[in-house]
Amino acid sequence: MTLLNDPRTRRSRLGVAAAAAGLLAALLTAGPATATPDPGDAPTATQKVSEGARAEVRDAIADGEIPGQDEIVHSDNIEHLANIPKDALPGTNSDLAFQGKYAFAGNYDGFRVFDLSNPRAPKTVAQVLCPGSQNDISVSGDLLFLSTDSSRSDDSCQSTTQPATEKSSWEGMKVFDISDKRNPKYVAAVETACGSHTHTLVPERRNVYIYVSSYSPSATYPDCQPPHDGISVIKVPRHAPEKAALVGFPVLFPGEGPDGGGNPGGPTNPGVSKTTGCHDITVLPSEDLAAGACMGDGLLFSLKDPEHPKVIDRVQDNVNFSFWHSATFNQTADKVVFTDELGGGGAATCNATVGPNRGADGIYDIVGKGDRRELVFRGYFKIPRHQADTENCVAHNGSLIPVKGKDLMVQAWYQGGISVWDFTHSSRPKEIAYFERGPLSTETMVTGGSWSAYYYNGYIYSNDITKGFDVLKLSDRRTDPAKRVRVDELNVQTQPDYFD
C-alpha cells in the first residue's frame, strides 16, 4: 500500500505534477538546450507553473520535505558565516575569481570586489558598473578580464543593448587594471566572433592567453557567422595590456558543411544541443591539458602550444547529456567531471521525474598516455535532494577541494543550493555536505540560486544570482586537510597544481 502522507513518498513524487502537465516532455524534446540564462538588462525572468505543481510545492513544504520559502537548511558539517546582499549592481550575479585577500564577483551589470580579510564579514571595496552579460570574470596579476556576450552599442561601460544583426554592435573581452583594487581602470577591449560567453586564462610570465568560448552563430549576425566551430584566442601582454589582440581561431570541430563537424543535435540526436562552439573550457597548465565543454561534445586537448591547442579525444553522451556546460579535472589529471546544464539553468530538473542521470555531472577517467589519452565514462552524480518545480536546478559551476589522495568537489546547483561531493571512486560518487535555501517562490518559477560555489583558502564562497555573496565554513575530517593548502590566486577554470 502506498502511503500518500509519508514524506518519503511525497518527496519522491516532486515533479510528477509538472510531468503530467507536459512540461517534462517539452524540456526533453524541444530541441537544443539553451545555455545559461541571459536576461541582459531585463529583470529576472519568471515562468508560470501549473496549479498541480504549486499544490505539490505547498504540500512538500508543509510536510517538511523541502525547506520553506527562503528558509536556509544545511548539513551539520557546514556553517553559514555571512551573506552580503546585492548593492549598486542589481543584475544577475555570475562567476567568481580570487586573488590574495580579495574576491571578484561578476554581475550582468559589472563586477564587485570584496575584501575577505574577515570571512565572517566581507567588505565591499569597489563596485564597477559595466553592463554586458554574462560578465564572466577572471584575474591575473594586475589584470582583470570580463566577458561580454550580449550585443552592445559599443565596447564602453556606458553601452546599451543593440541587435546582433547590426554590424556596429560589439561583443567580446574587456580588460581592467586592478593594481588599485579600490579603483579598477578599464584599459582594453577585443571584439570576438559571437562574443564571449565564458573565457579561460592560460597565463605565462610575459603574456596572458585567453581562450574565448562562444556559440550560436547565425547568417543574420554580421559578426557571428556559421560555421562557428572553434574558439577565439587573445594574447594580452602583461606590461602593455592596451595591446591585447586576437591571435587566432583554432578549429576544434573540423568538418564539411555550414556547421562544421560537431554534434549535429536534433533531430539526429533528439534533446541534444547542436555543437556550434564551446560553452566553457578548463585548463590544467601543470599538465598542458584542457577539457572543453562544447554544447553537444566533450573534449580533451593538449596545450603544449597555447596558440594552437590540439584535440586529443572527443566524447558524446546522446542519451543523458543535453548541454555540455563545464569541466573540472581532478588533481592527478586522470579524471574529468563534465556538467550537463539541461534546461539552460532556467528549468526544474532536480526531481524524480527527470531522474538522477540528466542535468547531472558525468565522471570520466582519462586513460592512456600522451596524445593517445582517452576519456572513458564511469558514472553520474546528481544531488540526492529533490527540489520543487518552482526552483531552477541543474549542475553548474564548482571547484576542487584540495585533499591529497581524494577527489572532492564543491558545486553550485542554482536553487538546488551547494553540494560537496566525493568522486574518488569514479563510479560511486557520493554527497558529503550541502547548503540550500527554500524556493524563491511557491507560485512561479523564478530564476535564482547559486551560480558559482568555489573553495578558496579554507572557505567556500558562493555568488547567488539573487541573494548575493555567501561565505560557508566546511568542517569535516574528509575535507579538513584542505584548510592547510593556500594559493595566491584562483580562477577555477585555470586549475592550479595545489601540491606542486
Side-chain angles (χ1 to χ4, degrees), residues 377-413:
F377 174 76
R378 297 301 188 200
Y380 297 107
F381 171 77
K382 192 170 183 179
I383 56 173
R385 298 170 314 286
H386 292 149
Q387 306 295 307
D389 286 326
T390 57
E391 294 180 281
N392 61 306
C393 176
V394 75
H396 212 233
N397 293 352
S399 76
L400 285 186
I401 299 176
V403 175
K404 276 190 175 182
K406 297 289 186 180
D407 296 327
L408 305 172
M409 186 173 175
V410 60
Q411 187 175 5
W413 289 79

Side-chain angles (χ1 to χ4, degrees), residues 364-380:
Y364 287 76
D365 285 353
I366 302 174
V367 300
K369 296 182 178 180
D371 288 353
R372 295 187 176 181
R373 284 173 284 192
E374 297 179 346
L375 294 164
V376 179
F377 174 76
R378 297 301 188 200
Y380 297 107

Side-chain angles (χ1 to χ4, degrees), residues 6-77:
D6 185 337
R8 292 168 298 176
T9 303
R10 190 181 301 278
R11 184 178 180 84
S12 69
R13 291 181 54 187
L14 280 169
V16 173
L23 297 181
L24 179 66
L27 175 68
L28 301 185
T29 63
T34 58
T36 45
D38 186 3
D41 296 330
T44 302
T46 62
Q47 302 173 29
K48 292 183 178 180
V49 298
S50 70
E51 175 53 38
R54 292 197 296 271
E56 192 176 75
V57 174
R58 292 191 294 267
D59 289 347
I61 291 174
D63 289 345
E65 300 154 31
I66 62 173
Q69 188 170 353
D70 277 343
E71 178 187 359
I72 291 176
V73 296
H74 54 81
S75 54
D76 291 340
N77 52 0

Side-chain angles (χ1 to χ4, degrees), residues 188-354:
V190 179
E191 187 170 15
T192 55
C194 302
S196 174
H197 194 72
T198 66
H199 69 269
T200 304
L201 303 187
V202 185
E204 296 184 332
R205 187 169 62 87
R206 294 184 178 181
N207 305 296
V208 179
Y209 286 97
I210 307 174
Y211 289 173
V212 175
S213 295
S214 55
Y215 52 92
S216 295
S218 169
T220 64
Y221 300 161
D223 299 320
C224 183
Q225 292 283 300
H228 186 71
D229 48 11
I231 57 174
S232 299
V233 180
I234 296 172
K235 183 178 181 180
V236 185
R238 290 190 183 275
H239 298 296
E242 69 279 0
K243 295 182 180 180
L246 187 69
V247 295
F249 187 86
V251 173
L252 303 179
F253 303 97
E256 299 180 359
D259 299 317
N263 195 319
T268 303
N269 297 316
V272 178
S273 293
K274 178 171 70 175
T275 298
T276 58
C278 288
H279 179 276
D280 211 350
I281 293 170
T282 292
V283 300
L284 191 59
S286 62
E287 300 290 337
D288 289 329
L289 274 180
C294 302
M295 304 181 73
D297 295 272
L299 298 183
L300 183 70
F301 48 97
S302 168
L303 298 181
K304 291 181 179 178
D305 180 354
E307 290 192 25
H308 303 92
K310 177 184 177 181
V311 175
I312 296 174
D313 194 25
R314 170 184 166 193
V315 290
Q316 297 178 352
D317 180 347
N318 294 321
V319 175
N320 288 314
F321 260 46
S322 174
F323 189 93
W324 295 67
H325 175 275
S326 54
T328 302
F329 286 99
N330 69 337
Q331 180 58 39
T332 51
D334 58 7
K335 296 178 188 177
V336 182
V337 173
F338 288 103
T339 66
D340 171 29
E341 197 186 37
L342 173 67
T349 74
C350 297
N351 54 40
T353 307
V354 174

